[in-house]
Every structure is written in C-alpha cells, then in structure tokens.
Amino acid sequence: MVKHISHIGIAVKDLAAGIAFYEKLGLILEGIEEVPSQKVRVAFLPCGDTRIELLEPTSEDSPIAKFIAKKGEGIQHLAFAVDDLPAALQKTEDAGIHLIDKAPRPGAHNAEIAFLHPKSTGGVLIELCKEKH
Ligand code: ZN
C-alpha cells in the first residue's frame, strides 16, 4: 500500500533559516508554496524520492504554530506516498486505525492528503499522500 516516504514535515519558526540549514547539507530548494487551508508556507527540498518539507506558520492559530508552541521546532509529521488514497484510507480504517481525515483533502504540491490519528500510530503524526507530478 505504502510506496515510499513522500516527505518529512518539519516545523520551523523561520523558513529562510530552515532553508539555509538544509542547503548547508547540500539539498537544493525546489520551491516555496503557501497553503492557506493549513495556514503555512512550505519549502520543498528534494532528497532522493523523498522531500524535506519545512513548514512555517502564517498565523498564530495555524496547526504548525500550535505545534511549535507545545513542542518546539522539529519533525511534525511523516508522509507515506500511496497510489490510491481513498482505498488506502479504507484499508487503514478496516485495520482498526483511527483517521483524522476520512476523506482526502488538498495538500501542498497539488497532492491529496489525509492524516492518521497519532493515538493509533504510536505517537507519530502520519500522513498518507497521493502525489501529483
Ligand atoms: Zn505533509
């Protein structure tokens, strides 16, 4: 069902500082996109089949602002790529895993995304992601 790690979402206070750090490791900035529904600006830095996604809150009531206030900057979620998101959600729910999103919603990069509930995943916020290229 899961193909590979689509991206790792990392909460940052300052997008430019986050980008500068990952560029020092040799990653190359692919682009920056604002996702109004999530109240974030997202920077993408590809790393093989995976991307580092830096998430900067654009508002104090952004989920990322709340995450940073509670836990500080750092890894916020892990996203697995799937081919068929509705089917993957059905399988996941059938397996007894609680879903935050029962239906796909739009994410960054034109992807369709859905989150699984951390109470069912050992504390990791997991996203299933149907990538569009
Ligand atoms: Zn994500």
Side-chain angles (χ1 to χ4, degrees):
M1 180 169 90
V2 162
K3 297 194 298 177
H4 60 264
I5 294 175
S6 162
H7 58 272
I8 299 168
I10 299 175
V12 297
K13 290 179 189 164
D14 179 343
L15 206 56
I19 292 165
F21 170 74
Y22 286 95
E23 284 179 337
K24 282 180 195 162
L25 300 184
L27 300 186
I28 294 165
L29 177 66
E30 182 183 62
I32 296 176
E33 181 184 334
E34 187 158 343
V35 184
S37 62
Q38 295 295 301
K39 298 178 181 170
V40 286
R41 283 205 312 144
V42 187
F44 308 97
L45 299 106
C47 183
D49 279 346
T50 300
R51 289 191 314 266
I52 298 294
E53 285 195 7
L54 302 177
L55 308 161
E56 178 195 63
T58 55
S59 151
E60 277 183 17
D61 61 348
S62 157
I64 296 301
K66 289 176 191 158
F67 176 88
I68 291 172
K70 208 167 150 189
K71 297 189 173 170
E73 294 180 297
I75 294 180
Q76 195 260 346
H77 71 275
L78 184 60
F80 291 114
V82 298
D83 276 326
D84 182 337
L85 184 51
L89 287 173
Q90 188 61 56
K91 272 189 196 168
T92 309
E93 194 167 34
D94 289 348
I97 298 166
H98 291 278
L99 308 178
I100 292 177
D101 301 302
K102 300 221 172 204
R105 60 181 160 114
H109 242 245
N110 280 324
E112 291 195 323
I113 66 170
F115 285 98
L116 311 185
H117 201 290
K119 281 185 179 152
S120 288
T121 64
V124 180
L125 180 57
I126 290 178
E127 174 191 320
L128 300 180
C129 176
K130 165 71 179 158
E131 298 173 326
K132 294 201 179 135
H133 296 287

